[in-house]
């Protein structure tokens, strides 16, 4: 049965105790992923246009190395997202909008996983991490790595589309609804 105390605790005290923005680790991981994904997307599509040669080789290894940092950080990001405290709900956002936003965020995590896993698995015979350590990969060149490359391309295109959607939602909330969504991640 709902008492005055339980209603107060649920609707007034608990929301008031919640923070206005995400914690430091969540913000740091968010911006590391954002920067690396934007870079890897631009570099990946640029590489697709470059002819074989030393520049392509260098940029391709740089790209794989930066993406490998994300592979190492991804489990930490998923774990932290599941245990950290969520900040106070944004004002003026309907339940339906909130459900859609959570759905897009989940899909973003899933797509990042697909991009990282396919990127790693499709590289035949390993690669050098920033020229320092040799990272082994499980498959040699063949039909399987070619299929994984096709999957990588498709998941990269989906990730780019989701990132555009995500940024458009931030623009809408920040500059049209003016509810200060960006401050939660700064
Ligand atoms: C943040 C994650 C990543 C993003 C956003 C990303 C993005 C891209 C894009 C847009 C392309 C061009 C696809 C096309 O030609 O249509 C590409 C190609 C490629 N990606 Fe990824 N990728 C990521 C992770 C990885 C990982 C983890 C690896 C391997 C360790 C990898 C290795 C490659 C390779 C080898 C290519 C072919 C071009 C080249 O020779 O470098 N990627 N990537």
């Amino acid at each position: 049965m709902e008492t005055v105390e339980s209603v107060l605790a649920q609707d007034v005290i608990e929301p008031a105790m919640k923070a206005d923005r995400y914690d430091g680790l969540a913000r740091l991981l968010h911006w590391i992923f954002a920067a690396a994904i934007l870079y890897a997307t631009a570099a990946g599509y640029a590489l697709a246009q470059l002819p074989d040669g030393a520049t392509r080789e260098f940029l391709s290894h740089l790209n794989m190395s930066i993406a490998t940092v994300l592979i190492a950080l991804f489990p930490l990001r998923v774990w932290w997202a599941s245990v950290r405290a969520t900040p106070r709900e944004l004002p003026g956002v309907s339940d339906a909008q909130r459900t859609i936003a959570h759905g897009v965020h989940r899909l973003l995590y899933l797509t990042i996983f697909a991009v990282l896993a396919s990127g790693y698995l499709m590289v035949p015979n390993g690669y050098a991490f920033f020229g320092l350590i040799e990272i082994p990969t499980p498959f040699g060149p063949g039909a399987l790595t070619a299929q994984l490359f096709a999957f990588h391309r498709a998941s990269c295109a989906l990730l780019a589309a989701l990132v555009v959607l995500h940024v458009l939602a931030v623009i809408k909330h920040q500059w049209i609804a003016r509810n200060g969504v960006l401050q939660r991640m700064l």
Side-chain angles (χ1 to χ4, degrees):
M1 202 185 80
E2 280 194 334
T3 61
V4 174
E5 287 81 3
S6 71
V7 171
L8 265 179
Q10 212 180 316
D11 295 344
V12 181
I13 299 170
E14 276 176 27
M17 282 165 64
K18 284 188 168 184
D20 284 330
R21 60 179 188 159
Y22 288 91
D23 61 89
L25 181 58
R27 284 183 275 132
L28 180 68
L29 288 169
H30 176 272
W31 292 114
I32 291 175
F33 272 74
I37 287 171
L38 288 179
Y39 169 78
T41 305
Y45 284 126
L47 276 168
Q49 314 300 321
L50 274 184
D52 283 348
T55 313
R56 188 182 198 293
E57 183 73 7
F58 171 78
L59 286 175
S60 175
H61 275 81
L62 181 64
N63 211 20
M64 289 190 272
S65 301
I66 289 174
T68 304
V69 175
L70 294 193
I71 295 179
L73 291 177
F74 188 73
L76 172 67
R77 183 150 191 218
V78 173
W79 169 75
W80 190 239
S82 68
V83 296
R84 64 173 157 71
T86 46
R88 197 174 300 157
E89 298 292 0
L90 265 180
V93 174
S94 68
D95 284 350
Q97 277 178 308
R98 201 164 287 141
T99 309
I100 293 170
H102 287 167
V104 172
H105 294 162
R106 288 231 168 95
L107 198 55
L108 266 168
Y109 277 90
L110 205 67
T111 312
I112 292 171
F113 175 76
V115 167
L116 292 175
S118 59
Y120 168 74
L121 293 171
M122 78 187 195
V123 180
N125 304 330
Y127 58 96
F129 178 68
F130 291 114
L132 299 172
I133 311 162
E134 202 51 32
I135 308 260
T137 51
F139 309 117
L144 182 57
T145 47
Q147 276 170 2
L148 284 162
F149 181 44
F151 185 80
H152 189 62
R153 288 188 121 164
S155 51
C156 285
L158 176 61
L159 181 59
L162 289 171
V163 169
V164 169
L165 203 66
H166 180 68
V167 173
L168 286 177
V170 172
I171 290 173
K172 182 210 167 250
H173 282 287
Q174 181 72 15
W175 287 284
I176 299 173
R178 293 182 182 276
N179 57 17
V181 73
L182 202 52
Q183 277 67 32
R184 289 154 69 85
M185 202 43 99
L186 293 178

